[in-house]
Amino acid sequence: MTDPERISQRGAGLAAHLLQAGKSELPDDASVERTLRALGGAGVLLSTSAAASGAKVSSAATAAGGAGAGVAGSAAAAGSTAKAVSAIFLVKWIGIGVVGGLGLASAAVVASGSSTPKPPVVAVREQAPRAPSVPAPVVPAARSSVVADEPAPVALPAPTLSAPRPSANVLEPEATPPALDEGAPLAAEVASVDRARSQLAAGQAAQALATLQGYEQQFPAARLLPEVLFLRLEAGERLGRSAEARAAAQRLVDGFPESPHASSARKLLGP
Amino acid sequence: MAAEAAALDEPQLSYDPSPVRVEGLVRKHYAFVWRLLRRLGLREGDADDAAQQVFLTASARLGSVEPARERSFLYGVALNVGARARRSLVRRREEPLEAASESAAYEPSAERLLELRQARKLLDRLLDEMPEDLRVVFVLFELEELSTPEIAELCEIPVGTAASRLRRAREDFEERVARADARRRFPGGER
């Protein structure tokens, strides 16, 4: 039996166009990483891609990232000995280097029961663990929503931030040094990146690109540059501005080859 | 899904359940699972959550999953999780697409739809309108580029049935696309 020609391969027509659009859709790398962290394999990841991601965020954020990674390492160890998933349920929206480290730090603190709940940190949200009888709780994703027939998680503010939080909030987890001078700008950077991400998610690719293009001027330290470049790549693609997308991809691959986003960039650039 | 049920009923630990295999499973199949969930009707954020649920469920059962059957197993879990998620979700499909379609009507060229996001919304709406059994086969063939025999195996149906569903699904889809296109071009005419 021979399969018919796929509609998307006709090259023309609305049906083909719609299917090509559907085919080209990919989850973002952060989504994959969140899932990996939520799994028993998180220990593996924390020693590789997550740590690498944190390390790429620049020396200015080293104290915060390092502390986060340290606690995250504890979480990973605890998670592996306690068979995995349990310690990781609490991680919420971990997308990028330092933020990811801080998120895991929060998770570790909450999991150990040694801390009172903290207010949401910029771009990092937590939630109470679901009932243990549920086979596999979900670590809510960036664009929070309900998945299974379970009560909705306590909704904390979405990561769409209009104003930076005080630096103390960013570096709040226990055992983390007080905010550095760079803390407040880091929060602002996170807010800026979040704004771009939200714009992209809302289909406002042009606005997102504008936000991202202003990022490097606004924040010369550019500690979230890998994430920004990845979003520029995505925004450029969505707008059909392939040269811009490729330029961002090239910078990502050249400057941050170990970034979790670099693999997507390489795919775009081709062999 | 029978494949999933079989795997879930008797979780005999005979295959590698290690974190390394779990990670490999995610990296290899995440896009497939996520896109499948998207085209089965979940929004992006919902697909993120659901994909995570799929792999969490799968990782707990991985010891009973033969490596060669991973994709098939994930497919079964994804269908299950996706269906549950769709039931529990408050669907909010109405707002963006309708509004966007209205504005698109003023420039009825196909180029207007070139914006990918817009195209995906319309695609999702059209898929939403398809009968579920056709939709699954259609998505696997047209979007995931599986062959009919592969689809038959995944869905545990005869190849002839898969081919027949595919044919009906394609006709159904193209009719819906034609109607949607007509609505775009002549707003206020056909509803």
Side-chain angles (χ1 to χ4, degrees):
Chain A
M1 180 178 304
T2 307
D3 284 334
E5 181 193 26
R6 289 187 171 78
I7 294 172
S8 63
Q9 288 167 353
R10 290 177 194 162
L14 182 57
H17 173 64
L18 295 180
L19 290 168
Q20 284 159 3
K23 253 168 148 168
S24 66
E25 189 175 34
L26 287 171
D28 61 28
D29 283 358
S31 164
V32 183
E33 297 302 325
R34 274 193 299 274
T35 292
L36 285 165
R37 284 192 179 93
L39 290 162
V44 176
L45 288 176
L46 286 170
S47 64
T48 55
S49 54
S53 165
K56 280 292 165 194
V57 175
S58 103
S59 56
T62 300
V71 187
S74 309
S80 60
T81 50
K83 284 280 180 174
V85 211
S86 59
I88 308 159
F89 296 164
L90 309 171
V91 182
K92 175 78 181 181
W93 201 82
I94 301 163
I96 42 182
V98 162
V99 175
L102 292 173
L104 286 165
S106 300
V109 169
V110 175
S112 70
S114 63
S115 169
T116 54
K118 300 284 202 288
V121 175
V122 172
V124 178
R125 292 177 292 160
E126 305 164 351
Q127 79 171 88
R130 298 181 187 222
S133 59
V134 176
V138 170
V139 176
R143 301 157 290 242
S144 71
S145 48
V146 182
V147 168
D149 306 331
E150 299 169 31
V154 176
L156 292 169
T160 307
L161 302 174
S162 54
R165 304 285 184 90
S167 59
N169 278 355
V170 177
L171 301 173
E172 200 168 39
E174 287 184 359
T176 302
L180 304 174
D181 288 341
E182 292 82 358
L186 176 60
E189 286 188 45
V190 170
S192 175
V193 172
D194 266 341
R195 187 162 52 249
R197 186 193 295 279
S198 299
Q199 287 166 331
L200 253 187
Q204 301 167 338
Q207 291 93 321
L209 198 54
T211 302
L212 296 163
Q213 284 166 340
Y215 168 85
E216 285 179 78
Q217 294 170 337
Q218 194 179 352
F219 306 107
R223 284 165 290 188
L224 304 181
L225 192 53
E227 180 75 2
V228 167
L229 290 172
F230 178 72
L231 292 172
R232 285 182 70 161
L233 182 166
E234 197 162 313
E237 274 201 309
R238 290 192 189 182
L239 291 167
R241 288 151 72 164
S242 57
E244 281 186 56
R246 290 182 67 84
Q250 194 64 59
R251 286 184 65 194
L252 192 49
V253 169
D254 292 345
F256 308 93
E258 301 299 319
S259 160
H261 296 313
S263 59
S264 298
R266 287 192 191 95
K267 277 183 211 158
L268 176 71
L269 294 170
Chain B
M1 203 32 57
E4 185 198 7
L8 298 183
D9 286 347
E10 296 179 15
Q12 296 167 350
L13 210 66
S14 51
Y15 299 103
D16 174 21
S18 71
V20 173
R21 185 178 174 204
V22 172
E23 180 177 353
L25 187 79
V26 175
R27 294 204 182 278
K28 186 174 177 188
H29 297 295
Y30 191 89
F32 162 72
V33 166
W34 187 86
R35 205 164 38 222
L36 181 62
L37 291 165
R38 285 280 290 127
R39 297 289 91 78
L40 291 179
L42 301 190
R43 288 167 170 262
E44 286 180 32
D46 301 329
D48 283 0
D49 286 348
Q52 197 173 94
Q53 179 73 57
V54 167
F55 284 101
L56 283 163
T57 302
S59 69
R61 315 286 178 185
L62 204 54
S64 63
V65 179
E66 184 185 344
R69 304 276 307 163
E70 282 178 354
R71 188 175 163 105
S72 162
F73 174 74
L74 285 171
Y75 166 79
V77 179
L79 274 194
N80 196 307
V81 169
R84 213 167 51 229
R86 288 177 65 194
R87 280 199 300 272
S88 68
L89 285 169
V90 178
R91 305 300 297 277
R92 297 152 295 175
R93 287 229 176 269
E94 57 283 6
E95 17 77 37
L97 179 65
E98 293 306 325
S101 295
E102 291 298 321
S103 62
Y106 292 101
E107 293 184 49
S109 68
E111 285 76 13
R112 189 65 182 166
L113 275 178
L114 278 174
E115 212 283 305
L116 285 176
R117 195 168 186 85
Q118 183 80 356
R120 286 171 188 149
K121 281 179 184 167
L122 178 53
L123 172 65
D124 287 339
R125 193 185 72 180
L126 297 175
L127 291 175
D128 269 353
E129 294 169 355
M130 287 177 87
E132 194 64 22
D133 58 340
L134 301 190
R135 174 186 195 153
V136 167
V137 171
F138 183 81
V139 165
L140 290 174
F141 181 81
E142 292 289 351
L143 295 164
E144 296 307 323
E145 298 199 356
L146 267 58
S147 68
T148 309
E150 286 173 322
I151 294 169
E153 187 187 345
L154 278 183
C155 297
E156 298 185 325
I157 54 178
V159 175
T161 304
S164 157
R165 285 185 191 176
L166 177 61
R167 180 179 47 75
R168 284 160 45 215
R170 283 159 57 96
E171 290 169 1
D172 182 282
F173 181 75
E174 298 213 70
E175 280 173 22
R176 291 179 195 280
V177 169
R179 283 203 295 271
D181 202 22
R183 274 203 298 273
R184 278 190 335 105
R185 291 173 187 278
F186 308 107
E190 183 188 356
R191 171 70 192 105

